[in-house]
């Protein structure tokens, strides 16, 4: 819980401007760039291709950047980058939970079986 919470804090500071608080790529910088006619084309973190990426790929993207996204190695310490990865996974799960996980959340008695 502590790691994911730290990741959420860091995500909200560094990532949400483009990716949005919900991860759907509708952050304030992304929206404004579209209004100016020069969209950044931030990726939704909920796209199948992004969800399929291994944790190390997401960590590397935060570290070194990709396409229009700059690297954040100078601003975000290594431990916080991994915390962001953990939060991104939790965010993705919250929007695309498999039935086994979603059912357990609805019926906690199922989770103990």
């Amino acid at each position: 819980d502590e790691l994911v919470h730290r990741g959420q804090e860091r995500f909200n500071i560094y990532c949400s401007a483009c990716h949005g608080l919900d991860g759907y790529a509708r952050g304030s910088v992304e929206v404004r760039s579209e209004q100016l006619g020069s969209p950044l084309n931030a990726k939704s973190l909920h796209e199948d291709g992004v969800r399929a990426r291994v944790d190390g790929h997401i960590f590397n993207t935060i570290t070194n950047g990709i396409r229009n996204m700059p690297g954040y190695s100078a601003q975000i310490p290594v431990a916080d980058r991994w915390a962001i990865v953990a939060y991104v996974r939790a965010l993705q799960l919250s929007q695309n939970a498999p039935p086994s996980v979603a059912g357990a959340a609805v019926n906690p008695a199922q989770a103990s079986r």
Side-chain angles (χ1 to χ4, degrees):
D1 286 349
E2 201 172 302
L3 179 71
V4 173
H5 182 69
R6 176 71 179 182
Q8 181 181 21
E9 289 176 343
R10 303 296 96 185
F11 179 91
N12 290 350
I13 292 168
Y14 294 103
C15 311
S16 67
C18 293
H19 294 285
L21 291 171
D22 59 5
Y24 282 103
R26 300 299 302 158
S28 59
V29 171
E30 178 64 30
V31 170
R32 182 66 177 143
S33 71
E34 289 173 5
Q35 291 169 344
L36 294 173
S38 185
L40 295 175
N41 298 314
K43 284 278 192 185
S44 168
L45 302 176
H46 304 292
E47 292 179 11
D48 290 340
V50 177
R51 282 197 320 265
R53 292 180 181 152
V54 296
D55 293 349
H57 187 285
I58 296 171
F59 177 87
N60 185 63
T61 299
I62 297 166
T63 302
N64 299 306
I66 192 169
R67 290 179 292 281
N68 289 336
M69 180 182 152
Y72 285 89
S73 61
Q75 294 94 335
I76 306 174
V78 170
D80 284 348
R81 284 180 250 158
W82 284 116
I84 291 170
V85 171
Y87 176 69
V88 165
R89 293 304 190 199
L91 188 61
Q92 290 169 333
L93 185 61
S94 76
Q95 299 300 303
N96 193 43
S100 60
V101 173
V106 173
N107 185 356
Q110 294 279 5
S112 63
R113 291 183 186 171

